Amino acid sequence: VQDESPAPAPLLRHEFRVSGPKVERATLYACGLGYAELHLNGKKVGSDERDPGYTNFDKRVLYVAYDVTKQIRPGANRVGAILGTGWYDVHDRATWNFDRAPWRGRPRLRLLLLIEFADGSVQTVTSGAGWQTADSPILFDGIYTGEVYDARHELPGWDQPGPQAENAKFFAARVMPAPKGKLVALSCPGVGITRSFAPKAITEPKPGVYVVDFGQNLAGHVRLRVKAPAGTRITMRYSERIDKEGMIERSQIDTFMAKSDPPQPFQTDVYICKGGGEETWEQIFSYSGFRYAEVTGFPGRPAKANFEARFAHTDFESAGGFECSNDLLNRIQQATRYAYLSNAQSIPTDCPQREKNGWTGDAQLAAETGLMNFRSTSFYEKWLDDFADDQAPDGKVSVIVPTGGWGSGNFNPAWDSAYPIVAWDLYRYCGNVPGLPDLGVQDPRHYDHLKRYVDALAATTEEGVIPFESLGDWVPWKTETSSKLTSTVYLYVDATIVERFARLLGNSEDAAKYEDLARRTKDAFNRHFYDPAAKTYGSGSQTALSMALYFDLVPNERRAQTFAQLVANVEGQGHIDAGILGAKYVLRVLSESGRTDLAYKLVARKEQPGWGWWIEQGATTLWEDWRGESSLNHIMFGDVSNWMIQWLAGIGLDPDSPGFRHILIHPEPVGDLTWAKAWHDSPHGRISSEWSVAANVMTLKLTIPANCTATVMLPGKPLDGAGNRFEIGSGTYEFRTALRP
């Protein structure tokens, strides 16, 4: 374990000269651990935050590359970096023991600047002996705790070439050993600041204590503007909630931080002014989950112009959207997108405040929403590599990925199944198979890892089912579902996925093996979890019924009865009664069996429990539980967005046609909806579906991209008498159909 009191973030720099012909191209490659902000000739390089990304540093370390051609000057140049602790040197003490991670070490930098000249010659600048270092004004930085910045310690011009007055503060940098992990390029988008929010209100619940409300729960930090005497210390503490007195309330989100005397800071930024005019500052190496910022130490009464919330996340392009005539659903869609982005931080996380962990269950349940709404393919491919790095020789994977050791050594099938499920989602939604040979990628390791995982899980079964308790249908409203049941479902799912991958690879022997495992698991599931007296699965919960139906574990002769039980349960309760597993599959099963109207009622209701109730309570992101007692920025209930795009607007994924080469169009004008529209940028181009209803006639407008086909399934009775089902190719179309009264 390293020193619990980290040193100030180091500055590193090196001066070099460029002479000769014109610079044709200059590329800066850098791996700074935990994080590095790169500088060249007085300017920051790139616009990303917290590069190069989080991995198991004993297995794999990432580097980033930037085109710096325009920043290179003839003559003297200076390259530099500021290093943060990040996940490499976690000194914050919390439940997950990252302060004891085996890779932990002081921040360090590996850098290569490659300068290519017009005559074909090359000059390289590398990190090593001859570099200089000094303490930066960042006195403290921690991934959970925040940053302390003393502007009085700034060294103007530290990153510019030439003699500088502060040179005496620099001394020779020490050459550090490289981390154990393989050096690999960051292949997904970096974390960027994509939007800023002005305050909605500023209150003063106690003298000198100001609470700034930005109106939106998000991941990021506050940019501060202030004019104050040197030494003025301004503290900003971040929170999702305020209490009855208007003070910030953080008991739900700081619960996992280790208690100490004095207490550790948590989600806290401190700025110490240098004086002499207006100062602008924002932290660079940490982030918080918040809607509110408590500000103390501010000179005088602050105005809204003094603060700006900065939304920071993996910088995806949008790849889909949904709107409809019911504004409640629009707000659920918006809240889902904010929750998803808040939890995209080079890995898919559960929440951006108290944990920041790659909880595998949360991520697998939200992956389809992520792929439908954003260009997130490379993000998930990177995370699958994290799984491969994490997997133990016995086949197990950790419940959070990456991990420094916490959460490893046990099976949690509903969570662990993120590895095969996300890999399969990438194939279904994008048409590519990450890490499988002969299908666009040469590294076959994911297939081998998936087999090892499924083999190890299958070896734990007794009489064909999972015999142990584990994480299952997390945070249900009322009715619990046996984790043995849900785990056995996921064993079946995992075996089926590996069988399908084997067939794609032409491996008939493996395909037969995992097909047989799936068949035996299905038989065992029905023997152990079907109650012939009650004629139901498990306790008859919404989760048990919907998962059995969705994954085709119910024999054909029993499907109608089982679906009728699910409908009766939902209609009888009138609301969702499931945790994170069931909440995804209840909506899908209802829609796939012709009851989108009932699924819509679950989503659109404003009473507790449900997505609509969250919005009615002021939610701007999705919450962790139906009661609102925990985190207010979680993504694990986020498949509702995918359901709205696919089942209300009608852009459906054909499971037999990966990458939307063939599309299932099935719009559903249910409930009080008078119009809905959605779009998705598939690998082949944009798909759009837009329908409206007037005088009991639905008009549907479609766009199908080039080289794609679609099956259109219309409700009601087409006005031209041509039927309800059409096979179409690429192009734009309009259909009109009379709805049933």
Side-chain angles (χ1 to χ4, degrees):
V1 178
Q2 301 293 315
D3 184 356
E4 298 294 343
S5 301
L11 301 175
L12 293 168
R13 70 179 192 180
H14 180 68
E15 189 164 315
F16 61 96
R17 295 191 64 82
V18 173
S19 60
K22 178 184 176 182
V23 173
E24 190 73 23
R25 179 168 52 246
T27 308
L28 181 63
Y29 302 91
C31 172
L33 299 179
Y35 297 128
E37 181 177 277
L38 304 171
H39 288 241
L40 180 59
N41 291 333
K43 294 183 179 180
K44 178 183 174 180
V45 175
S47 59
D48 290 343
E49 301 280 304
R50 288 180 274 121
D51 271 341
Y54 174 28
T55 59
N56 179 328
F57 302 105
D58 279 346
K59 299 292 183 67
R60 187 166 43 98
V61 293
L62 304 177
Y63 68 87
V64 292
Y66 291 103
D67 182 345
V68 294
T69 307
K70 294 182 179 179
Q71 289 179 248
I72 297 294
R73 307 171 182 171
N77 291 260
R78 177 165 280 163
V79 63
I82 313 171
L83 301 184
T85 55
W87 292 101
Y88 184 66
D89 184 20
V90 177
H91 48 83
D92 310 333
R93 285 169 291 112
T95 297
W96 311 281
N97 300 328
F98 281 106
D99 59 315
R100 304 176 195 171
W103 60 68
R104 189 176 169 200
R106 287 299 191 191
R108 60 202 67 193
L109 173 72
R110 174 178 283 180
L111 180 143
L112 166 66
L113 174 59
L114 180 65
I115 305 171
E116 301 172 74
F117 297 98
D119 65 354
S121 60
V122 171
Q123 178 181 350
T124 60
V125 178
T126 59
S127 50
W131 281 59
Q132 296 178 314
T133 187
D135 289 344
S136 78
I138 302 174
L139 306 184
F140 177 100
D141 69 282
I143 197 67
Y144 293 108
T145 46
E147 288 189 17
V148 177
Y149 186 96
D150 191 340
R152 297 172 299 178
H153 294 178
E154 289 178 346
L155 302 176
W158 72 272
D159 54 356
Q160 294 182 7
Q164 304 293 330
E166 81 286 357
N167 274 351
K169 297 184 179 181
F170 280 84
F171 55 92
R174 183 157 58 98
V175 176
M176 305 284 283
K180 295 178 181 178
K182 180 181 178 181
L183 192 62
V184 178
L186 174 65
S187 58
C188 67
V191 172
I193 295 172
T194 63
R195 185 173 175 183
S196 296
F197 292 84
K200 298 293 185 183
I202 301 177
T203 58
E204 189 180 9
K206 291 184 178 180
V209 178
Y210 300 97
V211 174
V212 185
D213 178 5
F214 293 97
Q216 174 64 52
N217 201 331
L218 54 88
H221 57 265
V222 169
R223 173 188 276 174
L224 171 69
R225 293 182 180 88
V226 64
K227 184 176 182 180
T232 301
R233 185 183 183 95
I234 301 167
T235 301
M236 299 183 292
R237 300 170 66 232
Y238 300 100
S239 179
E240 299 182 309
R241 305 171 189 260
I242 53 174
D243 62 20
K244 294 179 180 179
E245 284 70 45
M247 298 287 289
I248 64 168
E249 204 288 309
R250 306 200 302 182
S251 61
Q252 295 89 350
I253 61 172
D254 67 2
T255 179
F256 294 113
M257 295 295 290
K259 307 307 176 186
S260 62
D261 186 18
Q264 290 185 99
F266 170 66
Q267 293 210 149
T268 300
D269 289 338
V270 177
Y271 180 71
I272 303 169
C273 299
K274 60 187 174 184
E278 185 176 84
E279 303 172 46
T280 300
W281 175 78
E282 58 187 309
Q283 57 113 307
I284 58 175
F285 290 136
S286 182
Y287 72 101
S288 298
F290 69 102
R291 172 175 170 170
Y292 304 94
E294 175 200 88
V295 181
T296 55
F298 195 92
R301 185 174 185 85
K304 292 181 180 179
N306 293 115
F307 309 104
E308 189 178 2
R310 306 276 274 167
F311 190 22
H313 56 83
T314 299
D315 192 4
F316 305 114
E317 294 179 36
S318 283
F322 171 84
E323 291 181 77
C324 69
S325 57
N326 185 332
D327 188 58
L328 181 65
L329 267 65
N330 294 334
R331 292 161 67 193
I332 292 172
Q333 165 70 0
Q334 184 180 44
T336 303
R337 286 175 62 95
Y338 273 109
Y340 183 85
L341 292 174
S342 294
N343 285 290
Q345 303 290 339
S346 88
I347 62 167
T349 67
D350 61 324
C351 56
Q353 2 71 7
R354 69 186 191 190
E355 299 195 49
K356 297 181 167 73
N357 283 324
W359 280 94
T360 49
D362 302 47
Q364 69 99 340
L365 292 165
E368 292 183 70
T369 276
L371 292 166
M372 204 69 175
N373 279 275
F374 302 100
R375 293 190 182 276
S376 53
T377 306
S378 60
F379 174 72
Y380 286 115
E381 290 175 339
K382 182 266 180 190
W383 197 48
L384 291 181
D385 288 340
D386 293 329
F387 267 98
D389 290 341
D390 174 84
Q391 189 175 41
D394 65 3
K396 295 186 183 75
V397 294
S398 303
V399 74
I400 61 172
V401 175
T403 180
W406 187 94
S408 58
N410 298 298
F411 282 111
N412 287 278
W415 264 242
D416 306 339
S417 295
Y419 196 2
I421 286 174
V422 172
W424 187 244
D425 286 343
L426 287 174
Y427 175 67
R428 293 190 303 134
Y429 280 79
C430 310
N432 63 331
V433 185
L436 298 182
D438 304 320
L439 290 166
V441 182
Q442 297 306 311
D443 180 2
R445 67 180 180 150
H446 289 309
Y447 179 65
D448 294 336
H449 280 273
L450 295 179
K451 288 198 302 178
R452 191 194 313 164
Y453 168 72
V454 175
D455 290 347
L457 180 60
T460 69
T461 60
E462 294 178 5
E463 298 181 345
V465 301
I466 300 297
F468 53 85
E469 299 291 346
S470 61
L471 294 174
D473 193 33
W474 193 249
V475 290
W477 167 248
K478 179 178 66 176
T479 305
E480 300 281 345
T481 301
S482 165
S483 65
K484 296 178 182 179
L485 182 152
T486 58
S487 293
T488 303
V489 171
Y490 277 108
L491 172 59
Y492 173 80
V493 172
D494 298 342
T496 301
I497 288 172
V498 176
E499 176 215 335
R500 290 167 175 167
F501 278 144
R503 294 196 188 282
L504 288 170
L505 294 170
N507 190 328
S508 58
E509 183 178 347
D510 278 359
K513 171 186 173 180
Y514 293 102
E515 181 181 33
D516 181 63
L517 173 60
R519 178 191 57 77
R520 290 185 284 109
T521 304
K522 181 175 182 176
D523 291 344
F525 176 85
N526 280 279
R527 287 197 308 272
H528 284 263
F529 298 112
Y530 181 71
D531 182 345
K535 296 184 178 181
T536 195
Y537 286 90
S539 62
S541 66
Q542 291 179 13
T543 296
L545 296 171
S546 63
M547 290 186 71
L549 286 164
Y550 184 78
F551 290 113
D552 199 28
L553 286 158
V554 181
N556 289 336
E557 66 272 13
R558 208 181 284 161
R559 286 191 66 85
Q561 166 197 293
T562 304
F563 180 70
Q565 287 182 335
L566 176 62
V567 170
N569 184 314
V570 172
E571 289 183 332
Q573 296 200 68
H575 58 74
I576 193 80
D577 182 14
I580 58 175
L581 305 182
K584 177 170 183 173
Y585 301 117
V586 166
L587 300 181
R588 290 175 174 227
V589 168
L590 289 173
S591 287
E592 288 183 355
S593 299
R595 291 304 309 270
T596 298
D597 61 318
L598 188 53
Y600 177 74
K601 289 179 181 179
L602 295 182
V603 177
R605 72 191 305 269
K606 297 180 179 180
E607 298 77 25
Q608 191 181 30
W611 295 267
W613 182 78
W614 288 340
I615 301 301
E616 289 295 296
Q617 307 314 300
T620 60
T621 46
L622 303 186
W623 292 359
E624 183 181 6
D625 65 80
W626 298 122
R627 292 174 172 81
E629 295 174 345
S630 302
S631 159
L632 302 184
N633 195 343
H634 257 65
I635 189 54
M636 57 193 182
F637 286 103
D639 193 67
V640 63
S641 167
N642 195 32
W643 173 80
M644 289 190 289
I645 293 172
Q646 294 211 33
W647 288 105
L648 294 183
I651 300 177
L653 178 70
D654 183 346
D656 297 322
S657 182
F660 291 91
R661 185 170 292 278
H662 181 261
I663 308 148
L664 301 178
I665 302 293
H666 42 70
E668 296 277 3
V670 295
D672 58 357
L673 291 181
T674 58
W675 62 268
K677 61 182 178 180
W679 60 276
H680 174 64
D681 284 339
S682 77
H684 308 287
R686 177 159 297 191
I687 308 163
S688 66
S689 174
E690 179 176 353
W691 61 260
S692 60
V693 175
N696 210 42
V697 173
M698 185 186 80
T699 301
L700 172 66
K701 298 179 180 180
L702 297 174
T703 300
I704 306 299
N707 301 313
C708 294
T709 59
T711 299
V712 181
M713 294 159 281
L714 298 175
K717 183 178 181 181
L719 297 179
D720 58 7
N724 295 73
R725 187 182 180 100
F726 301 89
E727 302 295 333
I728 60 175
S730 60
T732 58
Y733 299 86
E734 181 172 313
F735 299 91
R736 299 179 73 239
T737 182
L739 301 178
R740 295 180 180 87

